[in-house]
Amino acid sequence: MSNEDASLLTQSPYFQHINTNYAPTDTEVADIWAHLESHEAELLRLESLIEQLTLQRNRVRDYILPHRALISHPRRLPPEILEQIFIQCLPTGTRRSAMSALEAPLLLGRICSSWRSIAFGMPRLWTSLHIPLDFFAFSDTKETALMNWLERSFPLPLSISVIMTDVRTHASEHRRLLQNLFQSSARFASLRLMGIAAEEFARISEFSAPLLEHIEIAFSTPLPDISGPTLLSSSLLRTMKTSSIVIEASNPMKLVHTESVPWILDHTETSTWNHITHLTLVPSSNYGWQREDVSPRIAHRLISGCPNLRHLELPLEHRHWDAAAWAPTARLVTPLESLVIRDPPIAIPCFATLLQRLEMPQLRVLDLPSSSFVAAAHESAPDVFFDLARYSPLLSSLSLGIHDFASPSFLDAAFPLLSALTIRNYCIHNEDDAVVVAAFNALTPRLSGEPFAFADLSRLEIVGLISLEDPKLSDLIANHITCETNLRHLELIVHDHPPRAVANAVHTQYSSLDVMVQYKPFQRKYTAFDGMDARPAIERHGGGGHSQAYH
């Protein structure tokens, strides 16, 4: 209350009773009503005046606002600037646009007719789309909107992701929608198919995609014995512009002919997929099927059938491989430049068996699972790194487990061009302390000037640093700086408490050495069967997962 309001109130003959519990008599009530008559009249006059002024204000405001709109900055922006702004509104990274009025590009068409005209006339805004087929099933309106979206993108290349979840209920509708969608396959530049059945992919695999550079396929059903090997030879993959292929399946080994197919008489026969340059095979049990990894023999056939293969990532089977059952052959010379062997850990002996039959003179990047030759007890393991150094002299980036790194086989082998090294250590038992100490001794240069095996190493990453005394880490950092080695980047990814040697440091610069520390604790994945004595067999074997929707 202002001072003026307070002074007016003090002039009331009943001021002493205001804001009290006093109840006026009938005579006083009548007197109060009489006292307020002049004030009520003044209030009505003021309210009428306010109403008139408000109308005048609104008239002036309504006159000003359209003129302000005429000179607003968005209206004056050239269309080419607006187009660049619109493009920045699109999803970034690998996420495709969603058909939602809450985000670009559809949202841009809901601002004004001018923006709508510009947005709908920009093919680049409509080249990306995520398509959950269940959302479009049994809806002519949504299907029409989908076709209109594709038409607006013409003639530019398309980046499409498709996911199928309710496959059994909507199988026929999915099939029809896929056929309509693939009428635009000639413009596909990037394609992701999630949850597709093998038989459904067979129906669309004969479409051509001359602009396609990358494709990801996650199968919801196992690959069949007979038609599986024809997948890589399909028209869809063979007509790709650049063949970067990712296949997720429970049995990726079915991509190559196996002895289990009775009508194949010559098991040494291989297909030729000279169009494939990048191939990634992802093992999957998401849909409840038993996982089957790739044997060394099948991997060899796959590599021999892809004479132009530059990058290969695959899961080698986890069973003990009987190398004697595979007769020795001449080494296959392959142009592979990057090779990634996925877990499980016991895949290393299988890799040793495969390596004995390969020669990779162009190999520069190799990623091996975190395992131990000693635990695998594989007789050919001691020679694997000597073979690798001999037949892959250009190797410059290597990832492997700490047991394999600390083994005499690796430390005695020579990799003169090795510049990036990743060492993984997931062991938490005390008996592994000696292995960790041996590994750090090998990675730490001596101040006495002794020859250092990793003098050309510029990047070192250690994952799962546990059971390590802090002085070892301090010595590694200090000695590299003092000896002025080529090491420029050291990254530590720890799953236990971070070492005190780099306490409270996330990114620290030591002279010429960058030290990065990331703390990534192990995260347990809970399931609906936690706390139960018995679980379904499919869950015990790693199945029972759920599919994921990718945008």
Side-chain angles (χ1 to χ4, degrees):
M1 182 181 297
S2 64
N3 293 334
E4 184 178 352
D5 294 336
S7 62
L8 179 62
L9 194 58
T10 57
Q11 298 176 12
S12 170
Y14 295 93
F15 175 72
Q16 69 276 17
H17 299 305
I18 292 189
N19 295 327
T20 68
N21 291 329
Y22 176 75
T25 63
D26 292 343
T27 303
E28 291 174 328
V29 168
D31 186 52
I32 291 174
W33 277 115
H35 175 73
L36 291 178
E37 284 184 2
S38 60
H39 296 282
E40 293 280 2
E42 179 64 12
L43 179 61
L44 289 175
R45 186 188 70 82
L46 293 175
E47 288 181 345
S48 176
L49 180 59
I50 290 173
E51 184 177 356
Q52 294 176 22
L53 293 175
T54 300
L55 291 175
Q56 294 180 28
R57 183 204 63 182
N58 292 343
R59 284 195 297 267
V60 175
R61 182 192 60 190
D62 293 344
Y63 182 84
I64 291 174
L65 291 181
H67 289 79
R68 284 183 176 175
L70 282 175
I71 58 175
S72 64
H73 292 295
R75 183 185 293 265
R76 299 168 61 194
L77 286 175
E80 54 271 19
I81 300 298
L82 271 178
E83 291 177 1
Q84 292 301 317
I85 294 175
F86 288 177
I87 290 172
Q88 297 302 316
C89 294
L90 295 175
T92 58
T94 59
R95 185 180 180 274
R96 274 79 168 179
S97 299
M99 190 173 288
S100 169
L102 300 179
E103 65 178 62
L106 285 181
L107 177 61
L108 300 174
R110 298 168 63 90
I111 306 302
C112 64
S113 59
S114 176
W115 281 27
R116 179 182 178 87
S117 177
I118 294 175
F120 278 43
M122 289 181 58
R124 187 175 173 184
L125 290 182
W126 311 92
T127 57
S128 168
L129 180 60
H130 174 64
I131 306 174
L133 285 189
D134 291 349
F135 174 77
F136 293 94
F138 307 107
S139 174
D140 293 339
T141 302
K142 293 178 181 178
E143 184 176 352
T144 300
L146 172 61
M147 295 300 110
N148 290 340
W149 185 298
L150 298 178
E151 289 177 3
R152 294 187 197 111
S153 66
F154 186 83
L156 298 182
L158 292 167
S159 177
I160 302 293
S161 65
V162 182
I163 183 169
M164 289 146 277
T165 51
D166 195 355
V167 179
R168 295 181 180 179
T169 305
H170 298 157
S172 59
E173 186 68 3
H174 286 175
R175 187 176 305 125
R176 188 184 63 81
L177 288 172
L178 281 175
Q179 290 293 326
N180 291 340
L181 176 63
F182 270 75
Q183 299 302 318
S184 302
S185 63
R187 293 197 290 126
F188 288 170
S190 175
L191 179 63
R192 180 179 289 168
L193 300 172
M194 312 304 297
I196 188 171
E199 60 179 11
E200 292 300 332
F201 180 80
R203 291 186 173 92
I204 61 175
S205 63
E206 293 312 310
F207 284 90
S208 297
L211 299 182
L212 190 59
E213 298 179 351
H214 179 76
I215 184 171
E216 298 179 30
I217 313 167
F219 288 100
S220 61
T221 59
L223 300 176
D225 288 334
I226 296 178
S227 61
T230 65
L231 189 151
L232 295 178
S233 301
S234 64
S235 175
L236 182 63
L237 302 187
R238 190 171 287 278
T239 59
M240 292 176 64
K241 181 180 180 180
T242 56
S243 293
S244 175
I245 302 170
V246 179
I247 297 177
E248 180 177 345
S250 61
N251 56 344
M253 64 185 301
K254 297 300 182 183
L255 292 169
V256 182
H257 289 312
T258 64
E259 290 81 354
S260 62
V261 183
W263 51 268
I264 298 179
L265 300 179
D266 184 4
H267 298 314
T268 63
E269 178 186 359
T270 60
S271 302
T272 300
W273 304 295
N274 53 14
H275 58 289
I276 299 178
T277 59
H278 294 72
L279 179 61
T280 299
L281 304 182
V282 182
S284 172
S285 55
N286 285 343
Y287 296 91
W289 301 100
Q290 185 68 38
R291 166 176 162 171
E292 300 178 33
D293 293 330
V294 179
S295 69
R297 197 168 192 174
I298 294 299
H300 186 273
R301 290 180 183 175
L302 181 64
I303 295 172
S304 63
C306 301
N308 296 316
L309 193 61
R310 297 294 186 270
H311 169 82
L312 176 62
E313 182 174 348
L314 79 168
L316 283 180
E317 64 179 2
H318 60 278
R319 297 175 297 175
H320 288 284
W321 175 253
D322 185 7
W326 188 6
T329 60
R331 287 184 179 268
L332 172 67
V333 180
T334 171
L336 273 174
E337 299 175 0
S338 174
L339 177 60
V340 178
I341 305 297
R342 286 181 170 267
D343 285 338
I346 210 167
I348 283 286
C350 296
F351 172 71
T353 303
L354 175 63
L355 187 63
Q356 290 176 343
R357 293 159 174 81
L358 292 179
E359 184 173 345
M360 300 176 285
Q362 303 299 320
L363 189 68
R364 289 171 170 80
V365 178
L366 177 62
D367 191 339
L368 299 175
S370 306
S371 60
S372 169
F373 287 134
V374 178
H378 193 266
E379 60 181 10
S380 65
D383 299 326
V384 65
F385 290 117
F386 289 107
D387 286 350
L388 189 62
R390 177 182 179 184
Y391 294 104
S392 302
L394 301 181
L395 189 66
S396 59
S397 178
L398 177 62
S399 301
L400 74 171
I402 194 168
H403 286 81
D404 304 324
F405 170 79
S407 66
S409 171
F410 180 83
L411 296 178
D412 292 341
F415 298 95
L417 300 182
L418 191 64
S419 60
L421 177 63
T422 297
I423 303 174
R424 303 186 187 94
N425 176 30
Y426 295 126
C427 299
I428 58 176
H429 304 295
N430 293 331
E431 56 265 26
D432 297 307
D433 288 352
V435 176
V436 176
V437 172
F440 269 80
N441 285 338
L443 290 169
T444 304
R446 301 290 180 268
L447 298 179
S448 59
E450 299 177 22
F452 180 48
F454 303 99
D456 294 326
L457 199 65
S458 61
R459 182 182 183 89
L460 175 61
E461 180 178 318
I462 302 176
V463 182
L465 180 63
I466 337 175
S467 67
L468 173 68
E469 294 296 328
D470 296 343
K472 287 294 181 185
L473 179 58
S474 300
D475 290 345
L476 184 147
I477 295 174
N479 287 16
H480 272 280
I481 295 174
T482 302
C483 296
E484 297 182 347
T485 65
N486 289 328
L487 189 64
R488 295 294 178 267
H489 184 85
L490 172 62
E491 184 167 354
L492 306 172
I493 300 178
V494 296
H495 302 301
D496 201 1
H497 297 295
R500 289 188 299 275
V502 285
N504 302 321
V506 175
H507 184 185
T508 305
Q509 182 79 30
Y510 292 92
S511 183
S512 60
L513 180 59
D514 250 351
V515 178
M516 291 284 295
V517 179
Q518 296 187 50
Y519 177 47
K520 296 182 179 180
F522 287 113
Q523 295 182 353
R524 179 171 180 261
K525 294 184 178 180
Y526 294 90
T527 72
F529 300 101
D530 283 342
M532 298 179 63
D533 294 334
R535 293 176 294 159
I538 197 171
E539 177 69 12
R540 293 196 300 269
H541 288 89
H546 299 281
S547 61
Q548 295 180 345
Y550 293 83
H551 298 279

